[in-house]
Amino acid sequence: MFIPLHDTNTLKHIRMQYVTISLIVVNVLTWLYTGFAAPETVTQAATVGLGYIPAVAFDYAYLPPDMTLVPEAATYITYAFLHGDFWHLASNMVFLWVFGDNVEDALGHVRYLIFYLLCAAGGAFFHGILLPSSEAPLIGASGAIAGVVAAYVILHPRVRVWVLVLFRFPLPLPAFVPLLFWVGQQFVMLVIDPDGGVSWGAHVGGIITGTILVLILKRRDVPLFDRTLVTPKAVRRDEAPRTSPETKMPPRWGRG
């Protein structure tokens, strides 16, 4: 329904969103190696060996050793770096580029990386809970991106975001308008189409995980919902108290 283009939200704690940029680079390179420039056999091997397969995770099926590329537990994360085609990759990376930098700013580099990976794992786990016997590999960063979107709307609901509505109309909107609509759409689609081609369950799992983790991992001085924190001026204790010329008494000190 919409594509995010740009937000008017400057970074406050970090100089550059190194982790967000690195995640985008890794996703693009992985797609080039396992998708765009790869033979079909390599694509299939990567999808099966690195994708998240609920039936394998929940012991309804077993992956042959010659098809296993990483430990089973690792697929809760590795699946999020695989994409089926260019548009699958592009849509996820656009969301990550627009919203990821400010979430990284609010959490810090290391905690943001942990946040992103746990959102991916949360999306896979929820998908598996809903479809535990499914043998179809889950791929795509949507679960992690959903967590980033949920965190952004909790941190910055009033920030103006330029979005392309219906692929035609660019509009500046408060972030909560398109993002809450997007979040609601994931829950609605999960009810309407629980086992379709798109894993709405992974999206919902990422949203739930991101909502919880942003409250735990954000910096202490970062407010929620675009509230303004008023920090009193620090009192320099190395200065001697000044004497008022009228009273010859030290002026009253402000309370910190």
Side-chain angles (χ1 to χ4, degrees):
M1 296 297 293
F2 77 92
I3 299 174
L5 301 175
H6 173 69
D7 66 342
T8 56
N9 200 357
T10 58
L11 300 176
K12 301 174 180 63
H13 299 91
I14 61 175
R15 293 185 178 182
M16 183 174 290
Q17 61 276 32
Y18 297 111
V19 176
T20 296
I21 294 173
S22 298
L23 288 170
I24 292 173
V25 170
V26 171
N27 274 277
V28 172
L29 291 178
T30 301
W31 177 71
L32 290 175
Y33 182 75
T34 64
F36 176 74
E40 186 65 24
T41 54
V42 172
T43 301
Q44 291 179 354
T47 300
V48 174
L50 299 176
Y52 174 76
I53 304 175
V56 175
F58 287 89
D59 296 329
Y60 286 94
Y62 297 92
L63 200 62
D66 61 329
M67 301 180 72
T68 302
L69 299 180
V70 294
E72 179 187 306
T75 62
Y76 280 87
I77 292 175
T78 56
Y79 86 95
F81 293 93
L82 302 173
H83 291 85
D85 54 40
F86 172 77
W87 293 112
H88 187 201
L89 171 72
S91 60
N92 281 331
M93 294 305 101
V94 167
F95 270 77
L96 182 57
W97 173 254
V98 175
F99 302 119
D101 59 339
N102 296 110
V103 179
E104 182 176 348
D105 186 52
L107 274 61
H109 302 301
V110 175
R111 282 179 291 182
Y112 172 69
L113 178 60
I114 294 171
F115 168 89
Y116 183 91
L117 298 178
L118 288 179
C119 286
F125 179 75
F126 198 73
H127 170 79
I129 288 293
L130 296 177
L131 301 169
S133 61
S134 173
E135 296 185 8
L138 173 68
I139 62 172
S142 300
I145 303 302
V148 171
V149 170
Y152 190 97
V153 78
I154 289 174
L155 294 167
H156 306 295
R158 292 182 289 180
V159 167
R160 290 280 175 175
V161 177
W162 279 90
V163 297
L164 191 63
V165 179
L166 299 176
F167 302 99
R168 293 185 179 184
F169 310 105
L171 293 175
L173 298 172
F176 75 89
V177 175
L179 296 188
L180 285 183
F181 177 84
W182 185 87
V183 168
Q185 182 188 27
Q186 311 313 302
F187 283 88
V188 170
M189 292 305 298
L190 177 60
V191 175
I192 296 175
D193 187 27
D195 55 354
V198 175
S199 176
W200 307 107
H203 296 188
V204 169
I207 290 170
I208 295 172
T209 306
T211 300
I212 296 171
L213 289 180
V214 71
L215 303 177
I216 300 172
L217 297 178
K218 75 176 186 67
R219 302 175 191 268
R220 291 185 178 181
D221 60 340
V222 171
L224 301 176
F225 308 111
D226 284 323
R227 292 181 301 179
T228 301
L229 289 180
V230 179
T231 304
K233 291 183 178 180
V235 177
R236 291 187 60 184
R237 301 187 181 279
D238 58 340
E239 290 184 352
R242 291 176 296 176
T243 303
S244 172
E246 292 81 8
T247 62
K248 302 301 180 180
M249 294 290 291
R252 185 176 299 174
W253 290 90
R255 296 183 179 180

